[in-house]
Amino acid sequence: MTSALTTTLTAIINARVVPVIGETIANGTVLIENGRISAVGADLTVPIGAQVIDATGRWVLPGFIEAHGHVGIHEAANGWAGNDTNEMTGPNMTAVRAIDAINTDDEGFRDAISGGVSTIVVKPGSGNPIGGQSVAIKSSGGRTIDEQVISDSVSIKRARGENPKRIYGEKKQTPSTRLGVSLIIRQAVVDARNYVQARDAAAEKGDTFTRDLGQEALARVLSGELAWDQHVHQASPAVKEGLPAQTALEALTVNPAVILGLDSRVGSLTVGLDADVVIWSGDPLDLGSRAELVLIDGTPVYRHSDGFGQVVERADRASA
């Protein structure tokens, strides 16, 4: 595979192109212009002056979307000092935001990139029935977290079952059972509805009203502006147990993009979307395959060659 440099016009040729939306193209081309996908198809004319990447024998797909991640808030190497996953001082933490705790230098971002993950929806953890507000970010970006954000209006994380039950049970406080977890969530929804009614009534009368950050966030859930989500696990084992490969790929790309309101930016190889493109050595659902080249917004951020993978570091990107 030829070396790729950062350019405004790039052509990936001779690839097995899997756009996710639409049919697989056995010998396809993906054109990238100014960080966006400008064309996908067979027998496309490569523009003069384009940087050409020959992907013969490789698979080309959109970057994967990690729809439930803790990268940057549960850091890989900093122990308790880097663990800001859960604000476990109360079971309803709707008001907290994952974006406020993200360390963009967390080693987990490098791991994500090397695995072909270009978008991460970072969520508070599962220690609380209602954990807080998620943010969708690119796994590689500029000098600050703000330059990586796709959307800070994504979802509210909630959790049921053993995690909050265990944590609060050990504290001898509610919720120590699944009954209590359901109570916390149900009461939060009722309180948010009452809050919206009182807020709107005050606005109609011109009265002053004290805003509550948590209630405001839940009001956005009730209006459909934010998703109300929980997590599920991995695609590869599911395929081995009979899940169709196309369904698995959709679950890793376009489906979370649609559900979380990100599909105008990411999730498929579609003209106009961000050029988050991954060249794989083979079928990405085969554990023996690896990401060989990862582009985010059309810029190479990871290469694997001669048995060695290298992430383009933030400082190098900023100086380019």
Side-chain angles (χ1 to χ4, degrees):
M1 183 163 51
T2 57
S3 176
L5 300 175
T6 302
T7 63
T8 58
L9 190 60
T10 302
I12 303 173
I13 64 173
N14 300 327
R16 180 180 178 85
V17 177
V18 184
V20 180
I21 294 178
E23 297 295 323
T24 296
I25 305 166
N27 187 21
T29 297
V30 177
L31 299 182
I32 298 169
E33 185 171 0
N34 296 327
R36 296 292 182 99
I37 297 170
S38 58
V40 179
D43 302 320
L44 296 180
T45 299
V46 176
I48 296 174
Q51 174 69 43
V52 177
I53 302 173
D54 186 352
T56 300
R58 275 76 170 184
W59 293 45
V60 174
L61 286 92
F64 287 159
I65 298 173
E66 168 55 272
H68 178 117
H70 305 306
V71 181
I73 62 173
H74 192 166
E75 299 171 43
N78 290 331
W80 72 268
N83 185 358
D84 294 303
T85 317
N86 289 290
E87 178 59 48
M88 290 185 293
T89 53
N92 181 354
M93 281 293 155
T94 311
V96 303
R97 309 184 309 169
I99 191 174
D100 294 328
I102 293 175
N103 178 3
T104 55
D105 287 324
D106 178 16
E107 186 66 28
F109 285 109
R110 296 177 180 85
D111 294 337
I113 294 168
S114 67
V117 176
S118 59
T119 296
I120 304 171
V121 180
V122 182
K123 305 174 184 291
S126 303
N128 297 315
I130 304 179
Q133 301 170 44
S134 306
V135 61
I137 63 175
K138 295 294 181 75
S139 53
S140 177
R143 295 164 294 180
T144 67
I145 183 63
D146 292 334
E147 295 178 13
Q148 290 182 225
V149 172
I150 302 173
S151 175
D152 61 359
S153 296
V154 182
S155 66
I156 300 294
K157 166 66 187 295
R158 69 186 177 100
R160 303 179 69 89
E162 66 277 4
N163 278 4
K165 173 182 172 179
R166 171 180 53 82
I167 289 165
Y168 287 93
E170 291 174 354
K171 297 180 180 181
K172 305 298 183 184
Q173 62 186 80
T174 304
S176 60
T177 64
R178 288 180 173 83
L179 305 176
V181 171
S182 295
L183 171 62
I184 294 294
I185 294 173
R186 189 166 61 250
Q187 187 64 58
V189 172
V190 171
D191 291 346
R193 286 174 175 162
N194 292 339
Y195 174 88
V196 170
Q197 290 176 357
R199 183 192 64 186
D200 293 349
E204 288 181 8
K205 296 177 182 178
D207 294 342
T208 59
F209 186 80
T210 301
R211 298 293 178 123
D212 179 278
L213 293 178
Q215 300 287 21
E216 289 288 337
L218 280 179
R220 296 172 70 194
V221 172
L222 295 177
S223 69
E225 183 181 352
L226 298 179
W228 183 239
D229 62 23
Q230 286 187 197
H231 66 268
V232 294
H233 291 153
Q234 300 163 343
S236 183
V239 170
K240 293 182 182 300
E241 295 298 325
L243 183 72
Q246 178 65 19
T247 302
L249 289 176
E250 290 171 357
L252 292 168
T253 54
V254 66
N255 285 353
V258 170
I259 292 168
L260 298 172
L262 308 175
D263 53 314
S264 64
R265 295 281 305 277
V266 297
S268 64
L269 298 181
T270 300
V271 172
L273 267 59
D274 295 359
D276 296 350
V277 182
V278 182
I279 299 178
W280 292 85
S281 61
D283 183 349
L285 296 179
D286 184 337
L287 294 179
S289 297
R290 62 175 176 268
E292 294 191 345
L293 180 65
V294 179
L295 297 91
I296 293 182
D297 296 326
T299 299
V301 296
Y302 174 83
R303 295 183 180 87
H304 188 285
S305 61
D306 300 324
F308 178 74
Q310 183 175 10
V311 174
V312 179
E313 297 296 339
R314 183 178 303 274
D316 296 329
R317 297 194 301 271
S319 63

